[in-house]
Amino acid sequence: MRRILVAGNWKMHGSRAMVQELLEGLLAGTERENGVDMAVFPPYPYLAQAQSLLENSNITWGAQNLNPAPKGAHTGEVSPSMLLDFGCRYVLVGHSERRTIYGESDENVADRFDAALEAGLEPILCVGETLEEREDNLTEAVVERQLDAVLNQSGVAAFSRAVVAYEPVWAIGTGKTASPEQAQAVHAFIRDKFASRDDIIAGQIRILYGGSVNGSNAADLFAREDIDGGLVGGASLKVEDFLSIRNAVV
Ligand code: 13P
């Protein structure tokens, strides 16, 4: 049985005061276990604050990116062991904003995935097509290419300690959610792809949906067979909104 994971990607938002208020609110709202896993992804400078507030709670945390190198002359970058030092369990890799704004290639994303796993972090691999690609009927081809880059480098067994997030680029921050049918179709395609290599991994792997998830659409999305939770941007920045997504799971 796959547990639902609701993950909040804060992107480049936050301040010490906001982190304090948001995390205290989430802690209060999740005291009672409801079978849903929760994780937050603050910007790097707030990981220490997240660690001190969330340690020994039901909420886990991770980083939004990492550099695959263990250490060295990489000004401005953060290594896998640094994330472990601050108690991170997860790390996002290949978010579409990293791919498009910061030029991370499929190979580069595969290197980050591999380094995260090697270090003992659980990577959340983000994949998804642009609007243009969807309109050109390239959704499956794009998602497959992005998955293959990682599968070919790390192997299918690596996914026993990883999560996949399907985030159609056209649904991110636009208020335009993929319909539950559209999302489910791509999630099923992703799970089938794993099944062609390993049935057990395919049955276990959590595949999250991301793109304008909120308290009103979460229940319908998470009820679909192959949707195992959400990677939430905007709605993860407010206590009420984020908790309403968690509590939408029945
Ligand atoms: P929104 O929920 O703001 O659309 O962002 C989704 C996302 O990119 C999460 O990683």
Side-chain angles (χ1 to χ4, degrees):
M1 191 54 194
R2 300 183 297 267
R3 279 171 69 96
I4 295 282
L5 172 61
V6 174
N9 173 11
W10 296 358
K11 308 192 179 184
M12 199 169 69
H13 296 284
S15 63
R16 288 179 71 87
M18 181 266 216
V19 172
Q20 192 78 22
E21 192 185 320
L22 181 51
L23 293 182
E24 280 174 359
L26 293 180
L27 284 169
T30 54
E31 264 172 12
R32 184 136 34 96
E33 158 78 18
N34 76 340
V36 174
D37 293 336
M38 286 264 273
V40 292
F41 294 79
Y44 293 136
Y46 302 109
L47 287 173
Q49 202 181 351
Q51 180 180 32
S52 74
L53 285 162
L54 300 179
E55 228 159 22
N56 305 318
S57 77
N58 294 323
I59 304 174
T60 52
W61 62 98
Q64 298 171 16
N65 197 14
L66 83 176
N67 188 290
K71 63 178 178 179
H74 294 279
T75 302
E77 295 294 293
V78 171
S79 74
S81 68
M82 293 172 186
L83 301 185
L84 286 173
D85 230 2
F86 288 95
C88 290
R89 169 168 169 182
Y90 299 106
V91 61
L92 304 182
V93 296
H95 190 279
S96 68
E97 287 149 21
R98 300 297 320 171
R99 293 178 190 263
T100 56
I101 310 173
Y102 298 100
E104 290 182 13
S105 64
D106 291 336
E107 290 67 36
N108 200 262
V109 170
D111 285 344
R112 287 169 204 262
F113 182 97
D114 208 36
L117 209 66
E118 283 294 310
L121 293 156
E122 271 181 60
I124 300 186
L125 172 64
C126 306
V127 298
E129 82 288 359
T130 62
L131 184 57
E132 202 181 4
E133 288 162 342
R134 173 161 283 262
E135 285 171 348
D136 287 344
N137 271 330
L138 291 172
T139 299
E140 292 186 356
V142 169
V143 167
E144 181 156 49
R145 192 200 71 223
Q146 293 171 336
L147 287 173
D148 275 342
V150 175
L151 277 165
N152 293 340
Q153 178 160 333
S154 299
V156 68
F159 283 84
S160 64
R161 281 199 298 117
V163 176
V164 173
Y166 168 58
E167 298 205 305
V169 178
W170 48 272
I172 295 178
T174 58
K176 221 198 256 180
T177 326
S179 68
E181 292 74 22
Q182 282 175 319
Q184 165 58 25
V186 181
H187 283 232
F189 172 77
I190 294 171
R191 201 175 305 282
D192 280 352
K193 174 132 188 82
F194 283 104
S196 70
R197 300 202 185 207
D198 188 316
D199 267 339
I200 294 175
I201 302 258
Q204 288 172 345
I205 188 154
R206 292 195 280 195
I207 307 173
L208 313 184
Y209 167 78
S212 300
V213 176
N214 58 43
S216 316
N217 57 32
D220 218 4
L221 285 161
F222 301 169
R224 305 290 153 148
E225 188 179 347
D226 293 299
I227 303 181
D228 307 310
L231 183 53
V232 185
S236 72
L237 295 168
K238 289 210 181 105
V239 175
E240 246 89 288
D241 293 350
F242 199 39
L243 287 177
S244 71
I245 295 171
R246 171 192 188 259
N247 297 333
V249 180
V250 280

